[in-house]
Amino acid sequence: MLNRILAAFALVALAASAALGADVAAVSDKVQKRYQSLTSFSADFTQVLVNSTSKERETRSGSLVFSQPSLIRWETRVPEPELLVVGPDAVWNVFPAEKSAYRYTVDEVLGSKTMLRFLSGKGNLREDFHVQEEKGAPEGQALLKLVPREAEPSLVQAFAWVDLKTDMLARISIEDFYGNTNDVTLSNVKLNPSVAKEQFRYAPPKDYTIFDNAGMQSLPRN
């Protein structure tokens, strides 16, 4: 689940306020310029995960917050609570129902070249993707197809829908190497909100089981 969340967030972060121009080059340049000026954003999300083999569908919903540099809080509330916090020093993936928390290093989680470039604000659509505009977008939106120049298992192609009235991302769908899809629709998007840095730090409760993959000697506690 961690990789699917981060793969979705990587593209959300890049295109959260994409403005479309007359052609794909103009679109890409405006996305790049806008993202580089973005300091933070928040949104509600609905996420639909489809397994290509079993055709099983899972619908999840919650909220997300992003703040430069590369700070993420992705909080799933339905169907059950799950929290992903990418902080300055560590990454936590937390499952309250199981009273368990997994800790990773930031480099380990954001080690993907493409993902790291996006989340650090250095991503460039035309450098990292083959981009083309697709037909079939709903009225008032434009649809972009993104194919990575260097494919990775978690992301072989993506589609992004942009609201032409607000110049913001409305939806993004990612397909992985196995044909599984990760479809995220955003709502209530807010650009450059004031963000408390405490949101990107996590300390597990004392009764939680900690799975430490970061190799750290001490664990923070509430």
Side-chain angles (χ1 to χ4, degrees):
M1 183 57 65
L2 180 64
N3 285 339
R4 287 185 291 181
I5 291 175
L6 287 169
F9 196 91
L11 289 174
V12 167
L14 178 64
S17 55
L20 293 188
D23 54 40
V24 170
V27 172
S28 302
D29 290 343
K30 288 184 178 181
V31 168
Q32 182 72 15
K33 182 178 180 180
R34 182 69 171 187
Y35 180 71
Q36 288 178 337
S37 69
L38 192 67
T39 60
S40 64
F41 78 88
S42 64
D44 297 324
F45 71 84
T46 299
Q47 181 180 31
V48 180
L49 302 168
V50 180
N51 184 290
S52 64
T53 301
S54 66
K55 307 304 179 185
E56 181 180 355
R57 295 169 61 92
E58 180 183 0
T59 301
R60 302 159 61 88
S61 62
S63 62
L64 62 92
V65 180
F66 169 78
S67 179
Q68 293 282 20
S70 307
L71 301 176
I72 305 166
R73 185 181 181 91
W74 182 291
E75 191 166 1
T76 300
R77 299 188 179 90
V78 177
E80 60 184 31
E82 180 182 348
L83 176 64
L84 172 69
V85 177
V86 180
D89 304 314
V91 175
W92 289 94
N93 197 194
V94 185
F95 301 87
E98 302 172 6
K99 292 188 175 181
S100 63
Y102 295 76
R103 184 165 66 171
Y104 306 87
T105 65
V106 175
D107 287 344
E108 179 182 2
V109 172
L110 301 182
S112 161
K113 177 183 176 182
T114 301
M115 189 179 302
L116 183 60
R117 284 167 63 82
F118 286 164
L119 295 176
S120 64
K122 298 177 181 179
N124 187 299
L125 280 179
R126 285 199 281 165
E127 288 183 4
D128 296 328
F129 288 95
H130 300 286
V131 185
Q132 64 186 60
E133 192 164 3
E134 294 282 293
K135 296 181 179 179
E139 183 177 355
Q141 293 186 11
L143 174 59
L144 296 180
K145 181 179 180 179
L146 310 174
V147 178
R149 296 183 184 275
E150 297 182 9
E152 298 185 0
S154 62
L155 174 57
V156 297
Q157 71 173 1
F159 294 89
W161 288 258
V162 180
D163 187 321
L164 296 175
K165 181 179 293 185
T166 63
D167 295 334
M168 296 181 188
L169 185 70
R171 175 186 170 193
I172 192 154
S173 182
I174 295 171
E175 182 178 334
D176 69 15
F177 176 79
Y178 302 100
N180 304 313
T181 58
N182 183 354
D183 196 309
V184 175
T185 300
L186 298 182
S187 61
N188 194 30
V189 178
K190 298 179 181 178
L191 302 181
N192 298 319
S194 177
V195 175
K197 297 303 182 182
E198 288 74 16
Q199 293 185 74
F200 308 107
R201 296 187 179 277
Y202 178 78
K206 294 181 178 180
D207 60 344
Y208 272 39
T209 301
I210 309 301
F211 299 90
D212 185 20
N213 299 289
M216 298 180 182
Q217 296 182 350
S218 60
L219 293 172
R221 293 291 187 180
N222 282 339

